[in-house]
Amino acid sequence: MTEAEQAPPGVDPSTPSPARLYDYYLGGTTNFQVDRIAGDRLRDALPDLYDAAWANRGFHQRAARWMASEQGIRQFIDLGSGLPTQGNTHLSVRQVIPDARVVYVDVDPMVAAMSGELLADDGRTSVIIADMRDPDEVLSHPDLRALIDFTQPVGLLMTAVLHFIGDGSDPWALVTRYADALAPGSYVALSHATADKLPPRSVQAMYATYENTPTRIYLRSRADVRRFFDGLEFVPPYPDAAPCVTYVGVWGADDPEAADSEGSRVLYCGVGKRP
Ligand SMILES: C[S@@+](CC[C@H](N)C(=O)[O-])C[C@H]1O[C@@H](n2cnc3c(N)ncnc32)[C@H](O)[C@@H]1O
């Protein structure tokens, strides 16, 4: 059977997608030949690509677990959640809060096809296929409303997704819109790709790769990423650090110096508290 015949409804196996590319970078198998060719080509120009993906995934898991263990957050919204992978959000936070509730939101139809792995059998997780650029649709979705209590703090995760949203859709206003919908004491964790530490060849390859997917990529500066936290109280990324944006490998690391790497510097990240 060809990949085209295997592709679930709505999935175009002839075009790479951000979700399937990321799955490939993480060593997953939910991807097609077009994703693997595009991923290999990008890695030729950006040798630390896989390290960057793993550093980002590590940040996602550490930030979610920190919200659960240190802040007692019991409910999570994971925007741009990606395909099921090792350490899905509900598995990470349930190590601490066994009955934590998680709503996954992604725009890629492949996520819908694979959603079985994200659905816990106790009905405390759900998967919504929606475009996060439409916060009204996302926030009023009945499946989200069924699991999330907006009078209580929420952990909002937006890792490695805002760089797929162009300035024309005002991703800064979107983050504010989502954060404003949450109860005080909620937390927002986000990561975002940057060209700040990359050579021009890697930057060009990054833009070229995502030019061929349903969405482009928008690499942003530290100052641009810092602006996502306007109105939020920055959490220090590790003990004794100033509250600020940092690189994904470093946030919450036991030994930030050892955790620093070239791949880690492909994405900025931070966690902010909704006052
Ligand atoms: C690089 S993956 C990140 C997955 C996960 N958040 C992580 O950091 O491990 C980016 C995901 O964002 C999704 N995405 C991109 N644009 C989106 C949008 N406008 N609304 C919802 N999801 C989107 C993609 O389909 C993809 O699954």
Side-chain angles (χ1 to χ4, degrees):
M1 194 187 281
T2 65
E3 288 188 332
E5 287 162 335
Q6 284 172 347
V11 172
D12 176 6
S14 66
T15 306
S17 87
R20 285 184 264 118
L21 283 167
Y22 184 65
D23 175 75
Y24 182 54
Y25 307 157
L26 291 176
T29 54
T30 312
N31 49 69
F32 297 127
Q33 196 181 10
V34 281
D35 305 300
R36 298 188 284 275
I37 291 171
D40 288 347
R41 202 174 293 145
L42 178 54
R43 195 183 180 202
D44 285 346
L46 176 49
D48 297 304
L49 179 64
Y50 295 178
D51 178 30
W54 276 109
N56 175 68
R57 192 68 202 163
F59 163 68
H60 178 102
Q61 292 168 342
R62 288 193 302 281
R65 258 199 313 268
W66 176 86
M67 290 179 195
S69 64
E70 304 303 312
Q71 307 303 325
I73 303 287
R74 312 183 67 83
Q75 46 179 1
F76 295 82
I77 303 175
D78 188 348
L79 298 177
S81 49
L83 286 158
T85 183
Q86 286 174 37
N88 293 312
T89 306
H90 70 286
L91 299 175
S92 292
V93 296
R94 283 180 173 198
Q95 290 169 3
V96 186
I97 309 268
D99 61 351
R101 303 184 299 282
V102 179
V103 176
Y104 295 100
V105 180
D106 202 285
V107 77
D108 193 310
M110 194 76 175
V111 176
M114 304 302 293
S115 64
E117 287 180 48
L118 297 173
L119 294 171
D121 48 19
D122 59 5
R124 286 172 180 264
T125 64
S126 62
V127 180
I128 296 172
I129 300 304
D131 190 326
M132 67 171 282
R133 289 173 297 181
D134 188 345
D136 292 334
E137 185 198 343
V138 171
L139 291 169
S140 66
H141 196 289
D143 292 352
L144 184 141
R145 290 272 154 187
L147 287 186
I148 302 297
D149 174 356
F150 281 90
T151 68
Q152 297 299 314
V154 172
L156 176 63
L157 303 157
M158 287 180 280
T159 54
V161 62
L162 291 163
H163 49 234
F164 295 118
I165 298 180
D167 288 8
S169 300
D170 198 345
W172 297 276
L174 272 176
V175 172
T176 302
R177 170 81 177 85
Y178 281 107
D180 283 354
L182 308 179
S186 296
Y187 285 86
V188 176
L190 64 88
S191 59
H192 195 295
T194 182
D196 285 0
K197 298 286 177 194
L198 289 178
R201 180 169 172 257
S202 305
V203 175
Q204 280 158 15
M206 195 99 106
Y207 281 123
T209 302
Y210 287 94
E211 201 70 55
N212 293 322
T213 72
T215 172
R216 293 180 50 200
I217 194 164
Y218 304 85
L219 304 174
R220 295 192 172 100
S221 67
R222 182 185 279 265
D224 286 341
V225 176
R226 172 74 187 73
R227 278 178 55 213
F228 287 120
F229 294 90
D230 285 356
L232 299 171
E233 294 168 3
F234 253 121
V235 171
Y238 49 88
D240 301 328
C244 61
V245 161
T246 188
Y247 297 114
V248 281
V250 172
W251 198 97
D254 294 335
D255 182 345
E257 219 168 290
D260 196 15
S261 68
E262 297 291 326
S264 162
R265 295 181 200 170
V266 178
L267 294 105
Y268 287 122
C269 72
V271 175
K273 180 180 183 181
R274 160 98 161 78

